[in-house]
Amino acid sequence: MNNLTALSISIAGLAGFATFLAVGPLSGIFFIWAATIAWAAFFFLGATQEALKNTIVCGIFGVFMAWLAAIQITNIPSTAILGFPLWAAVTVTCSVVVMCLAANIPALVTIPASVLGYSSTFAYLLQTPGKLTKDILLSVSLDNPLIVISISIVVGTYFGLWSAQLSAKLTK
């Protein structure tokens, strides 16, 4: 079997299984959209053990930076001078600068994976009603994006690894 066919079959089969998990037994714990973002990042970064490590470490670092920014955003009063939108933008700007500058640390060198984790976190917070609250952000629960988006990134990255491994077996 040629490489493209093998990869297509392995990704499709595992995508079906991941979807089953996301809408079935792991619903609310495992988000398919966050997982497939990490899955794609794994392949984009080369589908190697280094890509696995960088996708997970930097992806979770991005989640952490977005989580910190979100906590700060919940501290901005709606009556803030210059308005809430401007202060929220300043908060995000500062956290993104720190996130990118952290790439000076070898373990955090993969900025695209950090950005994907950051973006996934804000997608969850801004598109899921009631999640951008201090109570949720500081909870030890599966509502907290620091926990639930990190889980999805780790599982999604491993789905990338497994699809690459399965594809390699199918080409033999």
Side-chain angles (χ1 to χ4, degrees), residues 15-120:
F17 181 62
T19 300
F20 166 78
L21 294 174
V23 300
L26 299 181
S27 179
I29 300 169
F30 172 63
F31 295 107
I32 192 70
W33 53 268
T36 56
I37 289 169
W39 190 338
F42 168 77
F43 275 98
F44 179 76
L45 295 174
T48 62
Q49 286 298 316
E50 185 75 7
L52 181 81
K53 177 188 69 108
N54 287 337
T55 302
I56 291 171
V57 170
C58 294
I60 291 173
F61 177 65
V63 172
F64 176 74
M65 291 304 299
W67 176 79
L68 285 176
I71 290 170
Q72 293 307 311
I73 287 170
T74 65
N75 290 323
I76 301 168
S78 60
T79 59
I81 297 172
L82 302 178
F84 176 84
L86 180 60
W87 284 115
V90 168
T91 300
V92 167
T93 299
C94 293
S95 66
V96 169
V97 166
V98 170
M99 180 178 67
C100 291
L101 288 173
N104 285 302
I105 300 168
L108 303 176
V109 72
T110 311
I111 294 172
S114 297
V115 171
L116 293 170
Y118 191 98
S119 299
S120 293

